[in-house]
Amino acid sequence: APRGSYLQGVALANAADFYIHIGELEKAAGFFRQSISINKNDFHSISGLGTIAMKNDRNYGLASTLFNLVKSNYKLPDPLFKFYQLAQSRQDKRQEIWYAEQFAAAASLPVYGKMYTKYLVEIYTGILNKPELAEKVAREELENRLTPQTAAWYSWALFSNKKPGQAEKIYKKYVSGKPLEGFELYYMGDLMAGLKKAYTAEEFYKAADKNKFDLSPAMISKLDSR
């Protein structure tokens, strides 16, 4: 594609991501479709449409088709994470574990550096139940760059690994009162609930709810059923 149309496609896909982030999925889908019409190999946008089909329309067949299309053309671990989310949507535990393991193995390869820490924290503190690995990857990320986000991942990983005192210390020092995204807000809600601070937990869940389409299906269900 000529450079101008390539850049136009990138702009459309970025706009679509923004609309997903604020929960305007119809607009997001429209921008993803426009981007694909410019570049039929725009796998980011194809995956985006699959995500909307999965999370919003519960059209799991379409989501699976789109994710498979991406997976067959895309070497990064991202499609494996989408299949983990799809299995979670379908409440197929066996598939969820299988894809989580596949993703974790791929995402942990040295070639990707620390690209996937956030997702590994989710998988290790969740379906794979390996909180010690979550703590390890989160600590390595924190040593690499200390931000409210990475501190939140580490705090949650510590709590999951039965270290509530350390978790609370990290939270108070680096996370409390700082701006966070949906993912961190959700887990800080879980952390506060675990520390028996129900009011603060609810405040975090309320904030996470505003960006809930950034989250995995089980998290969205939990927020919806509060």
Side-chain angles (χ1 to χ4, degrees):
R3 184 157 171 76
S5 58
Y6 168 77
L7 291 174
Q8 190 188 354
V10 170
L12 288 164
N14 285 342
D17 286 340
F18 169 74
Y19 281 115
I20 278 193
H21 184 63
I22 61 170
E24 295 200 22
L25 302 189
E26 292 297 314
K27 280 185 183 166
F31 280 120
F32 281 139
R33 284 193 201 96
Q34 279 179 302
S35 186
I36 295 162
S37 71
I38 292 170
N39 170 17
K40 67 180 190 326
N41 295 323
D42 176 3
F43 297 116
H44 175 80
S45 292
I46 294 167
S47 184
L49 284 178
T51 300
I52 292 170
M54 167 177 69
K55 291 185 186 175
N56 193 55
D57 310 333
R58 293 189 168 78
N59 186 340
Y60 302 142
L62 175 60
S64 184
T65 302
L66 293 170
F67 295 153
N68 264 315
L69 180 62
V70 176
K71 188 166 171 280
S72 57
N73 288 282
Y74 201 65
K75 291 291 162 268
L76 291 173
D78 305 60
L80 295 168
F81 191 79
K82 292 296 180 190
F83 276 111
Y84 144 79
Q85 291 186 321
L86 185 59
Q88 197 177 75
S89 301
R90 287 175 151 152
Q91 299 183 324
D92 181 339
K93 272 278 185 280
R94 206 171 54 81
Q95 283 275 292
E96 191 184 344
I97 290 168
W98 194 83
Y99 278 113
E101 283 172 345
Q102 298 290 306
F103 171 80
S108 302
L109 293 172
V111 62
Y112 299 121
K114 307 265 184 290
M115 263 174 74
Y116 295 104
T117 301
K118 167 174 150 175
Y119 305 106
L120 289 170
V121 166
E122 173 181 333
I123 277 173
Y124 288 147
T125 60
I127 186 72
L128 294 187
N129 193 22
K130 294 180 177 172
E132 67 292 344
L133 284 181
E135 184 185 332
K136 180 178 178 287
V137 296
R139 188 178 60 247
E140 285 168 2
E141 181 75 65
L142 197 71
E143 286 162 2
N144 188 36
R145 59 186 184 108
L146 172 55
T147 68
Q149 271 74 28
T150 60
W153 307 345
Y154 185 45
S155 178
W156 171 242
L158 283 167
F159 183 82
S160 299
N161 203 19
K162 301 188 168 53
K163 299 179 181 175
Q166 281 174 259
E168 189 169 13
K169 218 156 105 180
I170 295 288
Y171 165 78
K172 282 182 171 160
K173 192 166 180 187
Y174 301 112
V175 184
S176 180
K178 304 285 195 307
L180 300 169
E181 300 271 313
F183 181 86
E184 295 79 30
L185 291 165
Y186 176 88
Y187 278 123
M188 291 305 91
D190 279 357
L191 174 68
M192 290 299 116
L195 295 171
K196 307 283 187 282
K197 300 186 176 189
Y199 176 78
T200 316
E202 183 53 31
E203 292 302 299
F204 274 119
Y205 289 141
K206 265 187 212 152
D209 203 43
K210 294 189 175 76
N211 301 137
K212 69 180 177 185
F213 283 100
D214 292 341
L215 305 175
S216 284
M219 300 178 183
I220 296 173
S221 296
K222 183 168 153 179
L223 288 174
D224 286 347
S225 63
R226 282 179 4 268

